[in-house]
Amino acid sequence: MRVKNLFMLDVDGTLVDSCQMDHECFSQAVYEVTGLTVPDDWGGYTNVTDAGIIEELIDSHDLQREKIMLFREIKRVFTHKLASAIANHGLKPLPGAVAFIDEMRHMPTVALAIATGGWEETARMKLKAAGFNIDGIVFSSCSDAMSRSEVMALAAFRAKQDYGVHFERRIYFGDGVWDKQATQSLNYEFVAVGDKVEHDVSVSNFVNPRAILGKLGIDEAQRQYA
């Protein structure tokens, strides 16, 4: 059983420049269905996932009796709004992100997984619109679990099962403080993407795979990209 480095990656703000669009469509969907306003600061939620935010809003406004219906309707409206926004405005990947994913597929000591706080359907929609090919890559989302740490742990479990290898390191790439907190709770390594989170290992984008691997101390980077 070979030892590999598991790279788990968030979607919004990490692989895809979609945070503003996602937030606007999600907030509009919640308001249209429930009349409730989603605060701009998502860091105040216990579980910063699409499902977790809705769960907390429903519970805090005593709407538990309608929970199943509200979840279903918010998701439907959000998906429709997001598809329309993508059709009208398109979506861009973070610089170098598409090539980074493609190159990491061929790294012998790296395995890939997507672990996102969004729903699977909308996350896949965004990745496809931004030009990513994630066929065969392990995927987990808030369609599977409520909390971000649970989503990440499930991605690691599925990767171990699907790839049949032992992971010596589990490294999560994310752009939010909640991403960093989840990695700490799981004792995973964290790479901060962008400038929203302070961390000792950070990257502004993915344009230089060799530099990223070098920061992580993956020696094969020197041979692969020499």
Side-chain angles (χ1 to χ4, degrees), residues 16 55-57 65 70 79 91-92 96 99 130 138 156 163 169 171 177 184 188-189 198 200 203 213 224 226:
V16 184
E55 174 93 0
E56 193 164 330
L57 280 171
R65 292 182 180 179
L70 291 174
T79 302
L91 272 180
K92 293 182 179 180
V138 165
Y163 301 138
R169 300 170 67 185
I171 303 165
V177 64
Q184 291 172 335
Y188 292 174
E189 297 177 59
E198 290 188 9
D200 55 345
V203 298
L213 293 170
Q224 184 79 4

Side-chain angles (χ1 to χ4, degrees), residues 185-200:
S185 72
L186 293 166
N187 200 28
Y188 292 174
E189 297 177 59
F190 180 62
V191 176
V193 180
D195 58 5
K196 290 187 280 187
V197 182
E198 290 188 9
H199 190 62
D200 55 345

Side-chain angles (χ1 to χ4, degrees), residues 7-214:
F7 285 6
M8 293 182 283
L9 300 105
D10 186 27
V11 175
D12 297 301
T14 298
L15 292 177
V16 184
D17 185 10
S18 53
C19 287
Q20 182 175 351
M21 179 186 291
D22 185 81
H23 182 84
E24 290 176 356
C25 291
F26 184 81
S27 299
Q28 290 168 9
V30 171
Y31 184 77
E32 286 187 18
V33 175
T34 68
L36 301 175
T37 300
V38 179
D40 290 334
D41 181 15
W42 287 12
Y45 287 96
T46 302
N47 293 314
V48 186
T49 64
D50 288 353
I53 291 171
I54 295 172
E55 174 93 0
E56 193 164 330
L57 280 171
I58 288 173
D59 289 346
S60 64
H61 290 82
D62 198 25
L63 298 171
Q64 289 89 342
R65 292 182 180 179
E66 305 170 71
K67 181 177 290 188
I68 294 176
M69 181 276 291
L70 291 174
F71 260 94
R72 184 184 302 118
E73 187 63 9
I74 291 170
K75 184 177 180 181
R76 184 191 68 79
V77 174
F78 172 56
T79 302
H80 174 74
K81 287 184 175 294
L82 184 64
S84 296
I86 291 173
N88 290 330
H89 304 291
L91 272 180
K92 293 182 179 180
L94 259 69
V98 172
F100 180 78
I101 293 296
D102 290 341
E103 291 181 27
M104 290 305 102
R105 285 178 180 270
H106 300 100
M107 278 287 296
T109 59
V110 171
L112 294 173
I114 303 295
T116 174
W119 281 302
E120 180 172 357
E121 298 93 323
T122 50
R124 288 185 181 275
M125 183 191 304
K126 286 176 277 192
L127 288 164
K128 182 178 180 181
F132 289 90
N133 172 18
I134 60 167
D135 291 346
I137 295 178
V138 165
F139 197 103
S140 67
S141 69
C142 79
S143 298
D144 302 302
M146 186 73 66
S147 75
R148 192 168 291 266
S149 58
E150 289 174 324
V151 170
M152 292 162 57
L154 181 58
F157 174 77
R158 287 177 172 172
K160 182 178 180 180
Q161 297 295 108
D162 289 4
Y163 301 138
V165 297
H166 169 70
F167 296 111
E168 188 175 61
R169 300 170 67 185
R170 297 166 181 82
I171 303 165
Y172 190 75
F173 293 73
D175 69 302
V177 64
W178 42 84
D179 297 317
K180 181 176 179 178
Q181 291 168 345
T183 59
Q184 291 172 335
S185 72
L186 293 166
N187 200 28
Y188 292 174
E189 297 177 59
F190 180 62
V191 176
V193 180
D195 58 5
K196 290 187 280 187
V197 182
E198 290 188 9
H199 190 62
D200 55 345
V201 181
S202 64
V203 298
S204 56
N205 53 51
F206 295 92
V207 296
N208 193 335
R210 180 176 179 174
I212 294 172
L213 293 170

